[in-house]
Amino acid sequence: MQQHNVLILDFGSQYTQLIARRVRELNIYCEIHPYNKIPNNLNDFKAVILSGSPSSVRSDQAPHPDLSEIRGMKPLLAVCYGAQYLAHFSGGLVAPSNTREYGRANLSFVKENESFFTNISEGSQVWMSHSDTIKDLPTNGVLLASTHDVKNAAYKIEGETTYAIQFHPEVYHSTDGKQLLENFLVNIAGVSQTWTPDSFVDETVKGLQDKIGEDKVVLGLSGGVDSTVAAVLLHKAIGKNLHCIFVNNGLLRKDEYTSVLKQYEGMGLNVKGVDASERFLNDLAGLSDPEAKRKSIGKVFIEVFDDEANQIENAKWLAQGTIYPDVIESVSVNGGPSATIKSHHNVGGLPDFMKLKIVEPLRMIFKDEVRRVGASMGIDKELLGRHPFPGPGLAIRILGDITSEKVRILQEVDAIFINGLREDGLYDKVWQAGAILLPVNSVGVMGDERTYEKVVALRAVESTDGMTADWVNLPYEFLQKTSNKIINNVKGVNRVVYDISSKPPATIEWE
């Protein structure tokens, strides 16, 4: 990637990814790196942002990076912990706050004629999340803004292009947060706003051509957004040397195997469909533990994928739809070293005998950016808008052991639910939806006969990234219609329930 514009040093804040997303929204490329792994190519970055942190700068275990090659050398914005860090180690004073400030606050003072606060005035709402406070500014510190409870809410350091804020501009509730980031990055640091989907495509295609040359690449398609966009990017770069494999594990949605293959045909991709459903279901027989089911699916997928990859002469690369949040997590402050191979639901981690090098064209962009990149390449809007679907498929939506009959029941139920959402204009208002087959039977009455059949739960959530999620308040009329349709048309089901738990404390999937 040539556009190394902004470096974000992560001190372990829950909001660090939000900083990157807000910066990207300004059409500015940025990268997140742990504070203890500052990249060597600092000359490639035009500005630096220090993130917040759950730590206190007063703690002996607090993050304490060497900023000697950054401070005073590059435009620097310090957020929350970063602001306290600069104060604490540069002649200021950080102490426990008498009045802890969490959540919304309003600027009660803003220094006049200050470019950092262009188009931001007193009263602007900001988001606070800290228990320490800056009592005294660092050496050469100049106060720029205050709130009612936090005097030193923002400051700059004379003689440097260094700015610091106690609040979080990246959080949605800081109403002028994007404006403040733009003031710093564009107006003060002079960073160019050239990061666009089109520029990403052009640059990535060239990089793939240089990296892969005339080698052949194998890609496991899932039918989802990430693998599809990765496939189209690679196809633009290497054409016929990309070999896509779409495996039917018998746990896809109803008719998905044939419909997805047909959709790919219209995109000009070289795709081979492999129906290995019987092989997967046989290996799953008798397994009830969720982790055992996941391992079974991963193992069989590797076997099937290896069989197919060996039929492609001189295949040297495995392409994956890894995206930036996966990369960030693998090198996070609290995580381990970066994993060489992502545990992807289509690959499950590769054994040594496969001997394929990894190529990940989407590894530096977020999910919403993946969709924008896909749209810029003309990928069908309906495909790009597809809900996330779990890698193990319906195996983790069938609680207990897996049988072909249970799969049939759940496929029928899921199809009625998902098609109903589409028909009623609700699909795009939901982040993810699906049905769960419960391991219980319930008593029912159909006609004059007693039934003792399966219970299914419907689940629909709204979210931005899957980290947190709220259940969707679907109209009662829709739920009533859907329940009636399921019970009347799916043999083996006599009761439908709706899951109204949020994440946390629940999870989106049940297993």
Side-chain angles (χ1 to χ4, degrees), residues 27-42:
N27 293 333
I28 293 173
Y29 180 72
C30 62
E31 290 182 6
I32 297 173
H33 290 264
Y35 75 91
N36 53 359
K37 296 179 182 177
I38 297 176
N40 294 323
N41 58 332
L42 282 175

Side-chain angles (χ1 to χ4, degrees), residues 143-170:
L143 180 65
L144 298 183
S146 306
T147 67
H148 177 72
D149 292 318
V150 178
K151 179 183 178 182
N152 297 312
Y155 65 88
K156 67 178 180 181
I157 297 179
E158 282 192 307
E160 303 177 17
T161 313
T162 298
Y163 294 79
I165 49 178
Q166 184 63 84
F167 53 90
H168 290 270
E170 69 274 23

Side-chain angles (χ1 to χ4, degrees), residues 365-440:
I365 61 177
F366 292 99
K367 188 78 170 185
D368 52 341
E369 292 176 313
V370 174
R371 289 193 167 96
R372 289 200 292 273
V373 166
S376 76
M377 295 190 295
I379 296 177
D380 185 76
K381 182 180 178 182
E382 184 174 324
L383 194 156
L384 293 175
R386 289 188 68 185
H387 292 173
F389 188 66
L394 300 180
I396 59 169
R397 291 182 179 176
I398 297 173
L399 306 194
D401 66 319
I402 310 294
T403 67
S404 57
E405 174 63 8
K406 289 180 179 179
V407 173
R408 179 199 67 79
I409 290 173
L410 191 55
Q411 284 178 332
E412 296 287 345
V413 172
D414 179 84
I416 291 172
F417 184 32
I418 298 300
N419 290 337
L421 289 171
R422 292 189 187 279
E423 291 166 4
D424 283 34
L426 297 169
Y427 185 86
D428 292 335
K429 298 177 181 178
V430 172
W431 189 76
Q432 182 172 334
I436 300 93
L437 183 64
L438 305 187
V440 294

Side-chain angles (χ1 to χ4, degrees), residues 314-379:
N314 295 323
K316 295 183 179 180
W317 297 85
L318 170 75
Q320 295 190 140
T322 308
I323 61 176
Y324 200 28
D326 305 314
V327 177
I328 295 169
E329 186 62 30
S330 69
V331 296
S332 67
V333 171
N334 299 316
S338 177
T340 303
I341 298 171
K342 177 195 171 206
S343 181
H344 190 265
H345 67 255
N346 273 338
V347 179
L350 293 178
D352 292 338
F353 65 78
M354 289 197 73
K355 304 297 183 185
L356 292 173
K357 294 180 285 186
I358 303 296
V359 58
E360 298 168 320
L362 306 178
R363 72 187 316 269
M364 297 309 291
I365 61 177
F366 292 99
K367 188 78 170 185
D368 52 341
E369 292 176 313
V370 174
R371 289 193 167 96
R372 289 200 292 273
V373 166
S376 76
M377 295 190 295
I379 296 177

Side-chain angles (χ1 to χ4, degrees), residues 440-445 449-455 492-494:
V440 294
N441 284 22
S442 76
V443 174
V445 177
E449 294 185 7
R450 174 185 183 274
T451 62
Y452 192 58
E453 295 180 324
K454 295 294 182 185
V455 180
V493 175
N494 69 356

